[in-house]
Amino acid sequence: MASATSSTVDTAAVGDGIHLPDTARDLVKILVTGPFGWARPP
Amino acid sequence: MGKTTLIGSVSEIRPLHTEEQLTEASAQVDDLAGVRDKSTTTVAIDFGRISLPGGIVLYLFGTPGQERFRPLWDDIAYGALGALVLVDARRIDASFDVLGLVEETGLPYAVAFNTFPDAPRHHTPEQLRAALDLEPATPMVTCDAREPNSSIDALLALVQHLIDHRPAEHR
Ligand SMILES: Nc1nc2c(ncn2[C@@H]2O[C@H](COP(=O)(O)OP(=O)(O)O)[C@@H](O)[C@H]2O)c(=O)[nH]1
Ligand SMILES: [Mg+2]
């Protein structure tokens, strides 16, 4: 698990155990990509 | 490589990993019969989330980039602000496809080279940059996807790049 997650995000409880930041503009979708599996994990 | 590994090592929620079966028309045409046979390919998609200092929350979508999976790529890339491209320095040519897709999609990106014990050390950063034909401004870092801190550093390099190059109206 990440250690640098000491978040300063204000969260609002949504449902049971789900927390979403209250400002949508701070949500950033990022792609993590690379070549198609020429070396597949086992 | 290391998409699944990186998302798993940084995500503060249990990372999702799905395998999608795609049916694809094989690129190989049987010379004798002249028919294209269909086969299925498994494409792995990962999802995770990480909160960065400063209140930015990244939603990470891991997906391979290859031209033949274009429709899938377009769906997953929709709404993304940037891409972290994981490149294995032992197989640079394997990354040309995905870099082409990222550029066509118009996504700002950073390149992270996996650190493998047997990764070639004779390449200078300049040589790697030239081999991938990267713009001078494109961030290039090394990253051990198994290490949360190393993975976060790579994501931060991308985020800093996005901040530096955001459209003027958002400054
Ligand atoms: N040494 C090292 N091994 C890595 C790195 N990234 C991934 N691996 C290993 O490479 C294999 C494939 O990684 P995976 O994350 O499944 O690749 P994917 O196909 O891009 O999702 C796994 O056994 C990982 O432990 C890295 O940066 N350094
Ligand atoms: Mg994977």
Side-chain angles (χ1 to χ4, degrees):
Chain A
M1 279 308 184
S3 54
T5 54
S6 54
S7 163
T8 56
V9 180
D10 295 325
T11 56
V14 180
D16 194 19
I18 303 170
H19 295 268
L20 291 176
D22 58 5
T23 48
R25 82 190 147 81
D26 291 334
L27 299 179
V28 179
K29 177 176 176 179
I30 296 291
L31 288 190
V32 176
T33 191
F36 182 71
W38 58 274
R40 305 299 311 278
Chain B
M1 65 171 145
K3 302 178 290 293
T4 302
T5 305
L6 183 143
I7 290 177
S9 68
V10 303
S11 184
E12 62 206 8
I13 56 172
R14 195 152 57 88
L16 298 179
H17 178 82
T18 68
E19 307 262 338
E20 296 294 329
Q21 291 286 335
L22 294 190
T23 303
E24 54 168 348
S26 168
Q28 269 148 15
V29 177
D30 185 317
D31 276 348
L32 289 173
V35 268
R36 285 174 177 269
D37 64 313
K38 288 202 166 182
S39 58
T40 58
T41 308
T42 304
V43 180
I45 299 164
D46 304 283
F47 176 74
R49 187 191 73 190
I50 178 172
S51 307
L52 297 176
I56 301 174
V57 181
L58 303 186
Y59 283 83
L60 305 173
F61 290 75
T63 186
Q66 208 179 48
E67 189 57 46
R68 65 197 171 114
F69 303 129
R70 189 58 187 264
L72 179 77
W73 170 269
D74 287 340
D75 281 349
I76 294 177
Y78 184 80
L81 286 197
L84 182 65
V85 184
L86 298 170
V87 175
D88 185 340
R90 300 169 303 183
R91 280 288 306 271
I92 284 185
D93 56 339
S95 296
F96 292 161
D97 243 29
V98 62
L99 284 168
L101 262 185
V102 169
E103 285 182 357
E104 262 181 61
T105 311
L107 281 176
Y109 63 95
V111 170
F113 285 97
N114 295 109
T115 51
F116 290 110
D118 56 341
R121 289 171 202 285
H122 53 273
H123 293 311
T124 64
E126 292 73 27
Q127 284 170 326
L128 290 172
R129 196 175 278 283
L132 291 175
D133 199 19
L134 300 181
E135 300 279 333
T138 302
M140 218 180 67
V141 298
T142 57
C143 166
D144 188 332
R146 300 164 304 173
E147 291 292 330
N149 288 335
S150 176
S151 300
I152 289 169
D153 283 347
L155 289 167
L156 285 173
L158 171 63
V159 168
Q160 190 59 52
H161 181 62
L162 297 180
I163 291 171
D164 292 344
H165 292 86
R166 74 198 137 155
E169 65 266 28
H170 293 149
R171 287 179 203 201

